[in-house]
């Protein structure tokens, strides 16, 4: 078989897999109603690198805030190991089968960062565990809030999580030694559901504007369809202003003091959302200060937005890792499952500990607080609120 025929057959199989996924999306029912569950199962998955250290601290804080629900049997924690890079490499899968089975027994998951191999690493070319989990559990919406009140920043990003450039990120093809091709994916169903979630959030929370971010002037088919489908959903919400921006100028305008205050809610394809939310997080202190929600109809996963920091581990500094990002994710988790009072307590405690009092500071080294010390500081602060 010549190289073009071989590539064509490979592409045919990719198309079929995506058509199957569209069929799956069409067959889905309504969102899970947490209020009618007899018991909410919270999975705790430490990941690797600094993941187990910071996730363990977040689990302790959650157990403290949910102690009454735990006593009454309304909430249960399930510890899930096995998402380390070593175990994933041994199995040759982004998520080993036994780990995925355990994840699917949970309703929501608190997840630590995981290492994703890159070309040239000692690890095999396995897919990102995050990308795989989002696809396997159909966590189509990545929601990241960023707030800096004294700079008039109150942004909420709705990043499409299962399509775009990441959907087939490990499925590119080397035609020969000179030519390599990757793929990006956009579906009508995928674009519409992330748009609807964003607009419904805006309506529910009194937000007056939604901005759609693409590069539709250059990436005309996939980005063009994403823009078209999101705008179509926006027509159902006439009280909300809709505008659209290109990703390059948006990154510039977020640092424009005069213009950035005009942004409120964003809808973005996968790659642009990943980039822009990291930039946005810098305004409130960096990626270590921001949490992330990954939402689907049946499952939800909450995580820190930074990496696994293997260098910190190799240098013995993992006990000084900053838990703030995953604690912010815990706020989103509590709110998602209906424990808003507890979510508000934790959010206020983090604001005090990170921004106002700062009795303890995380530096990532021995001249600052340990992860455990900072977690206890947040817990005691939440108790006093």
């Amino acid at each position: 078989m010549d190289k073009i025929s071989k590539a064509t057959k490979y592409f045919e199989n990719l198309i079929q897999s995506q058509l199957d996924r569209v069929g799956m999306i069409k067959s889905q029912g309504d969102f899970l109603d947490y209020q009618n569950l007899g018991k909410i199962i919270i999975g705790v998955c430490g990941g690797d690198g600094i993941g187990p250290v910071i996730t363990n601290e977040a689990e302790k804080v959650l157990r403290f805030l949910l102690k009454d629900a735990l006593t009454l049997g309304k909430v249960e924690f399930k510890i899930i190991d096995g998402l380390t890079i070593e175990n994933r490499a041994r199995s040759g899968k982004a998520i080993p089968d036994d780990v995925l089975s355990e994840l699917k027994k949970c309703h929501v998951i608190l997840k630590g960062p995981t290492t994703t191999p890159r070309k040239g690493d000692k690890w095999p070319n396995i897919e990102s565990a995050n990308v795989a989990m989002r696809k396997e559990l159909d966590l189509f919406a990545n929601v990241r809030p960023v707030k800096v009140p004294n700079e008039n920043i109150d942004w909420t990003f709705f990043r499409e999580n299962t399509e775009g450039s990441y959907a087939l990120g490990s499925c590119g093809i080397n035609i020969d030694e000179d030519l390599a091709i990757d793929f990006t994916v956009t579906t009508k169903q995928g674009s519409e559901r992330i748009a609807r979630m964003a607009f419904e959030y805006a309506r529910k929370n009194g937000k007056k504007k939604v901005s759609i971010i693409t590069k539709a002037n250059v990436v005309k088919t996939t980005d063009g369809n994403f823009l078209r489908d999101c705008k179509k959903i926006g027509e159902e919400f006439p009280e909300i202003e809709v505008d659209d921006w290109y990703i390059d100028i948006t990154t510039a305008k977020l640092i424009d003091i005069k213009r950035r205050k005009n942004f409120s809610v964003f809808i973005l394809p996968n790659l642009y959302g990943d980039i822009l939310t990291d930039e946005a997080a810098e305004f409130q202190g960096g990626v270590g200060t921001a949490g992330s929600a990954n939402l689907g109809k049946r499952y939800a996963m909450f995580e820190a937005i930074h990496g696994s920091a293997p260098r910190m581990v190799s240098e013995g500094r993992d006990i000084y890792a900053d838990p703030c990002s995953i604690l912010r994710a815990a706020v989103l988790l509590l709110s998602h499952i209906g424990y808003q009072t507890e979510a508000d307590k934790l959010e206020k405690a983090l604001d005090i500990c990170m921004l106002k009092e700062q009795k303890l500071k995380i530096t990532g080294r021995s001249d600052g607080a340990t992860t455990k010390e900072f977690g206890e500081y947040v817990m005691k602060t939440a108790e006093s609120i």
Side-chain angles (χ1 to χ4, degrees), residues 15-27:
I15 293 173
Q16 186 59 58
S17 71
Q18 293 306 302
L19 288 172
D20 292 343
R21 190 175 65 84
V22 169
M24 181 272 294
I25 295 173
K26 288 181 175 180
S27 67

Side-chain angles (χ1 to χ4, degrees), residues 252-314:
K253 291 306 176 185
L254 288 194
I255 61 172
D256 183 333
I257 295 174
K258 293 180 180 179
R259 299 298 296 274
R260 68 189 185 203
K261 65 182 179 182
N262 296 325
F263 289 109
S264 179
V265 177
F266 299 77
I267 310 173
L268 315 92
N270 211 333
L271 174 60
Y272 308 151
D274 192 7
I275 295 168
L276 213 61
T277 51
D278 279 6
E279 181 194 18
E282 287 296 309
F283 289 104
Q284 64 178 25
V287 294
T289 67
S292 174
N294 299 267
L295 310 178
K297 289 191 172 183
R298 170 64 179 81
Y299 300 99
M301 182 265 282
F302 302 83
E303 62 179 337
I305 71 169
H306 54 72
S308 58
R311 181 178 298 176
M312 286 190 72
V313 178
S314 66

Side-chain angles (χ1 to χ4, degrees), residues 311-370:
R311 181 178 298 176
M312 286 190 72
V313 178
S314 66
E315 294 175 356
R317 295 188 290 112
D318 49 327
I319 63 169
Y320 300 104
D322 189 343
C324 289
S325 181
I326 201 157
L327 287 170
R328 289 287 188 191
V331 173
L332 301 173
L333 186 155
L334 288 166
S335 178
H336 185 72
I337 64 174
Y339 287 85
Q340 192 60 49
T341 299
E342 291 78 5
D344 292 342
K345 277 188 177 183
L346 180 52
E347 184 170 36
K348 290 175 183 175
L350 286 167
D351 288 343
I352 291 169
C353 297
M354 294 169 60
L355 304 172
K356 298 175 183 178
E357 285 185 353
Q358 292 187 311
K359 290 180 180 178
L360 291 178
K361 290 186 179 181
I362 289 279
T363 67
R365 299 184 181 276
S366 58
D367 61 350
T370 65

Side-chain angles (χ1 to χ4, degrees), residues 22-66:
V22 169
M24 181 272 294
I25 295 173
K26 288 181 175 180
S27 67
Q28 285 182 333
D30 295 328
F31 282 88
L32 185 67
D33 184 357
Y34 293 95
Q35 306 311 308
N36 289 328
L37 292 176
K39 179 189 293 183
I40 298 172
I41 300 175
I42 302 174
V44 180
C45 192
D48 52 32
I50 63 171
V53 177
I54 61 172
T55 307
N56 179 62
E57 212 54 44
E59 181 200 345
K60 285 195 290 187
V61 173
L62 282 174
R63 284 183 180 274
F64 169 75
L65 291 167
L66 294 171

